[in-house]
């Protein structure tokens, strides 16, 4: 305990503060036209739709960015998810989320954004493909810890989704179970580009403090000391997500420990080795090694998405069987 206190004192936090003005300076170019989508659920040609064309059926989720509703198109009866921004959302942030999401689509492991829909506030809502089983966070709460083959299947698809984003110079910055959606067909898709950032130049570091603190990498708290590489930050969050799905709880805090700011910062930034190595949890050597490579505290030593795609935990001869285990798991949930 004394050691922890000592280390708390040694940790000089250097948090970059969110700066809406600088966000505005970085305004993105005019929006591209809505994507032509081949999704079967997009038959409403939603481009011309208004919010009043959709009947709200239920709330799917709430977050910092707004409320997501399950909706039905009144004319076609097709089902969608509609994300309505909260009143406090900044127009510039919404434009950035929209542009990043459009830029990232279409891809098999990225949630399809079907269309922006004009909202009464003058901004827009997001019409999204409906993922009928919700997020991995809710799946975890219903099902408990996931078996390793299912995790390998999820991890491989998330890595392919991230490889796609990173190849477009997009860092997601908010990978966590609540932002990964699943459906009863066994598909897994990365959602929520509200914290994302496009790195336009190799020196861009996207320092602003946006995203979910609990899943942020250590260097994000002390960028001046360690430098901040957004791509490596996404890898850290992915490793934490996979470990959480295995353990059934947030990995960096003990059972029942309160997730306050100080406890989180200590757990993320302090300690020796990787968090995965410190925790004597029950898992195969391949999974422990995979998570360990993602959760290297030193970002320079952390594996990249490309390297992780050839890690034995995800590149395996039984990957079809892993996909089948995951499909079976979601089939029993639906
Ligand atoms: P936060 O700021 O907390 O990350 P947010 O306000 O940006 O969240 P989203 O992450 O996009 O909003 O969505 C919030 C929740 O709504 C998700 O965690 C998920 O449970 C649900 N949700 C979002 N999109 C869909 C969808 N297409 N299908 C089903 N559920 C969805
Ligand atoms: Mg979210």
């Amino acid at each position: 305990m004394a050691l922890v206190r000592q280390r708390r004192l040694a940790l000089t936090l250097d948090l970059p503060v969110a700066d809406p003005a600088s966000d505005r300076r970085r305004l993105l170019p005019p929006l591209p036209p809505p994507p032509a989508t081949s999704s079967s659920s997009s038959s409403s040609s939603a481009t011309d739709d208004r919010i009043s064309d959709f009947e709200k059926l239920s709330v799917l989720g709430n977050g910092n960015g707004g409320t997501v509703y399950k909706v039905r198109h009144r004319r076609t009866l097709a089902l969608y998810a509609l994300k309505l921004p909260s009143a406090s959302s900044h127009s510039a942030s919404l434009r950035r989320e929209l542009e990043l999401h459009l830029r990232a689509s279409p891809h098999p492991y990225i949630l399809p954004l079907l269309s922006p829909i004009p909202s009464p506030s003058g901004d827009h809502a997001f019409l999204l493909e409906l993922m009928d089983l919700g997020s991995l966070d809710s799946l975890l709460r219903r099902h408990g810890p996931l078996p390793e083959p299912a995790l390998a299947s999820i991890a491989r698809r998330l890595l392919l989704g991230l490889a796609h984003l990173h190849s477009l110079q997009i860092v997601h910055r908010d990978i966590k179970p609540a932002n990964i959606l699943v459906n009863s067909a066994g598909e897994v898709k990365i959602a929520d580009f509200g914290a994302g950032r496009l790195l336009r130049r190799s020196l861009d570091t996207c320092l602003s403090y946006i995203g979910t603190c609990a899943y942020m990498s250590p260097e994000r708290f002390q960028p001046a000391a360690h430098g901040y590489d957004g791509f490596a930050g996404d890898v850290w969050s992915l490793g934490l997500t996979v470990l959480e799905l295995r353990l059934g709880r947030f990995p960096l805090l003990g059972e029942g420990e309160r997730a306050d700011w100080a406890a989180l910062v200590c757990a993320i930034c302090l300690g020796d080795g990787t968090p995965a190595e410190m925790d004597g949890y029950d898992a195969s050597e391949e999974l422990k090694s995979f998570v360990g490579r993602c959760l290297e505290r030193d970002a320079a030593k952390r594996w990249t998405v490309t390297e992780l795609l050839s890690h034995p935990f995800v590149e395996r001869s039984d990957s079809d069987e892993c996909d089948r285990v995951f499909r079976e798991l979601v089939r029993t949930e639906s």
Side-chain angles (χ1 to χ4, degrees):
M1 193 58 205
L3 182 65
V4 170
R5 255 197 309 273
Q6 204 180 331
R7 285 183 168 160
R8 278 187 200 210
L9 291 175
L11 182 77
T12 47
L13 284 181
D14 184 14
L15 291 178
V17 177
D19 176 6
S22 90
D23 276 353
R24 274 192 290 278
R25 279 196 298 276
R26 285 166 161 271
L27 262 185
L28 297 163
L31 295 173
T37 172
S38 59
S39 164
S40 58
S41 58
S42 62
S43 55
S44 72
S45 87
T47 324
D48 300 328
D49 284 323
R50 290 162 304 171
I51 286 180
S52 57
D53 293 329
F54 298 90
E55 180 191 358
K56 286 181 189 163
L57 301 178
S58 59
V59 173
L60 294 168
N62 272 303
N64 294 325
T67 303
V68 183
Y69 295 90
K70 179 177 178 178
V71 296
R72 180 165 45 212
H73 191 268
R74 293 184 195 279
R75 181 170 51 79
T76 65
L77 304 184
L79 296 174
Y80 301 95
L82 185 69
K83 181 170 176 176
L84 289 176
S86 60
S88 60
S89 301
H90 290 284
S91 298
S93 311
L94 289 172
R95 279 172 56 87
R96 186 175 59 219
E97 178 173 355
L98 180 60
E99 168 169 342
L100 290 185
H101 205 152
L102 288 175
R103 199 180 277 254
S105 311
H107 186 272
Y109 306 126
I110 304 292
L111 176 72
L113 166 60
L114 303 175
S115 175
I117 306 276
S119 82
S121 67
D123 289 316
H124 54 264
F126 297 78
L127 189 68
L128 303 160
E129 180 177 292
L130 176 66
M131 297 292 278
D132 60 350
L133 293 186
S135 68
L136 281 179
D137 184 48
S138 57
L139 182 72
L140 188 63
R141 273 186 269 118
R142 291 194 304 269
H143 184 276
L146 305 191
E148 280 199 24
L151 268 186
S153 171
I154 293 170
R156 189 178 57 80
R157 290 186 261 180
L158 293 181
L159 283 170
L160 288 168
L162 279 181
H164 168 68
L165 294 181
H166 290 182
S167 74
L168 297 170
Q169 299 300 306
I170 296 173
V171 285
H172 185 281
R173 300 202 298 175
D174 206 10
I175 295 292
K176 59 178 180 178
N179 284 340
I180 297 158
L181 305 182
V182 287
N183 64 20
S184 46
E187 294 181 298
V188 177
K189 301 188 185 186
I190 297 173
D192 192 359
F193 287 78
R197 182 56 69 96
L198 181 68
L199 301 188
R200 292 187 175 278
R201 295 164 297 138
S202 57
L203 289 178
D204 275 358
T205 50
C206 62
L207 285 178
S208 64
Y209 187 64
I210 300 174
T212 309
C213 164
Y215 296 85
M216 283 180 187
S217 54
E219 68 277 8
R220 201 139 166 218
F221 292 86
Q222 292 183 291
H226 304 292
Y228 172 59
D229 168 357
F231 302 119
D234 279 349
V235 168
W236 171 278
S237 309
L238 170 79
L240 215 45
T241 296
V242 170
L243 187 53
E244 178 165 346
L245 297 174
R246 180 72 199 107
L247 299 180
R249 61 173 175 80
F250 181 69
L252 296 183
L253 298 175
E255 298 262 24
E257 193 179 344
R258 219 160 56 87
D260 63 26
W261 170 256
L264 277 174
V265 173
C266 277
I268 294 167
C269 298
L270 305 180
D272 304 316
T274 71
E277 281 157 2
M278 289 174 351
D279 197 351
Y281 61 98
D282 177 29
S284 69
E285 287 311 310
E286 286 80 11
L287 174 55
K288 285 186 175 173
S289 159
F290 178 85
V291 172
R293 302 293 79 80
C294 297
L295 295 184
E296 282 287 354
R297 282 203 165 84
D298 180 350
K301 290 194 195 146
R302 206 172 298 150
W303 281 26
T304 64
V305 164
T306 312
E307 288 169 327
L308 287 166
L309 274 166
S310 39
H311 188 282
F313 181 62
V314 286
E315 195 187 53
R316 42 203 286 168
S317 54
D318 64 344
S319 59
D320 287 349
E321 172 60 11
C322 293
D323 293 346
R324 194 198 60 75
V325 170
F326 181 64
R327 271 200 310 276
E328 185 59 23
L329 189 151
V330 295
R331 198 184 60 75
T332 59
E333 290 292 318
S334 44

